[in-house]
Amino acid sequence: MFILNPPSSIFQYAKKLFLSEQAGRVQFQEFARKNAANALSLTNLVMGLSSILCSLNGHHYYACWFLLFGFLLDLADGAVARQLNACSALGAKLDDFADFTTFGIATSLLLQAQGILDSVFVICFVMAVFVRLCFFSSGIPFVYRGLPCPYASAILASTSLLTGGNRFLLYIVAVVMILFMTDQGNYPHDKVLESQLWKKVVFIGGLMVLFCCPLRLACTYYLIWCFSYTFFPSSLWGYEC
């Protein structure tokens, strides 16, 4: 003999099931909102680790590509965190760790150290990035102290590709980047994805040339972009410009 549930019981069960699924979707959306920027930082970290592996195996061409993509990810993660109101202490630490790995350790391997003096210089570059990140953590609001290390990394990676890995030129560029990162000069938060339309176009253009154009052309694009920020930070890239 079968006992049928009354319609009211079935309706209540369906309602509970619907509310449960709705609550699950809300929780998932909240989780995605809070961790979208962290996912970009983790991807940046993966780009850095991939670049390290490529450099250790002599594939400097691909190592530079990973660094340039990491540069774009670093510009995007902060914008995403602010737009989604998902800034957190964990996210800041994760971003710093990813930056140190990608723009410090991975970038320094492009110098291809072949002796003790070269190795000491590589350590100096990594320490300059470390000092730069420490200054940023305690810097002035809306202002970077010293050239942001992603720009120094993009310049070094682009130079490596355009010169075929010429070590002499790479070391000269690295010295200049160390000086810019540690001089404590003020650089504005460029906020490429949160500012004027032309800055967003520059970012989208960087993404397109990296995936759709020969890498040498992409490197020229990134050099112009990064040098313009390095030498004309306030007049050209200031947030209120």
Side-chain angles (χ1 to χ4, degrees):
M1 180 177 181
F2 295 96
I3 300 176
L4 296 177
N5 291 326
S8 60
S9 299
I10 297 176
F11 176 76
Q12 291 176 358
Y13 176 77
K15 182 179 179 181
K16 289 180 180 179
L17 182 62
F18 173 77
L19 291 176
S20 177
E21 291 179 352
Q22 190 177 38
R25 286 195 296 270
V26 171
Q27 290 178 354
F28 176 77
Q29 291 173 356
E30 182 66 12
F31 176 83
R33 182 188 69 83
K34 290 183 177 180
N35 292 281
N38 291 342
L40 291 176
S41 295
L42 282 174
T43 306
N44 182 18
L45 175 61
V46 171
M47 293 300 103
L49 294 174
S50 300
S51 179
I52 290 173
L53 290 176
C54 288
S55 293
L56 293 177
N57 287 281
H59 303 303
H60 298 289
Y61 180 93
Y62 298 106
C64 293
W65 187 92
F66 284 122
L67 291 176
L68 293 177
F69 190 53
F71 169 76
L72 294 177
L73 288 170
D74 184 70
L75 292 178
D77 62 5
V80 169
R82 287 185 290 270
Q83 288 295 317
L84 297 178
N85 192 25
C87 299
S88 65
L90 174 62
K93 292 179 180 179
L94 181 60
D95 183 58
D96 282 346
F97 184 73
D99 287 353
F100 181 71
T101 302
T102 302
F103 308 124
I105 299 175
T107 303
S108 69
L109 294 180
L110 297 180
L111 298 174
Q112 306 174 44
Q114 297 180 0
I116 295 178
L117 291 179
D118 291 351
S119 300
V120 170
F121 184 79
V122 167
I123 293 174
C124 290
F125 184 87
V126 174
M127 291 305 298
V129 172
F130 176 77
V131 170
R132 170 62 189 77
L133 291 172
C134 289
F135 279 132
F136 168 74
S137 299
S138 59
I140 306 168
F142 308 114
V143 175
Y144 294 117
R145 294 175 61 184
L147 178 68
C149 51
Y151 286 89
S153 173
I155 290 174
L156 201 61
S158 299
T159 302
S160 176
L161 284 170
L162 290 175
T163 63
N166 186 297
R167 295 179 65 249
F168 178 74
L169 292 178
L170 282 176
Y171 276 78
I172 292 177
V173 172
V175 169
V176 175
M177 292 300 101
I178 289 175
L179 294 176
F180 272 99
M181 284 190 290
T182 57
D183 72 349
Q184 300 187 41
N186 292 335
Y187 288 83
H189 283 201
D190 48 345
K191 294 186 177 180
V192 174
L193 295 176
E194 304 166 84
S195 189
Q196 291 86 353
L197 177 61
W198 72 268
K199 294 182 182 180
K200 298 176 183 178
V201 172
V202 169
F203 180 90
I204 295 173
L207 191 62
M208 292 180 63
V209 298
L210 191 60
F211 285 96
C212 305
C213 299
L215 201 53
R216 286 184 175 273
L217 178 60
C219 289
T220 303
Y221 184 94
Y222 280 91
L223 278 180
I224 295 173
W225 178 359
C226 295
F227 274 130
S228 69
Y229 180 81
T230 301
F231 294 107
F232 309 101
S234 298
S235 59
L236 186 59
W237 289 94
Y239 185 68
E240 299 296 335
C241 292

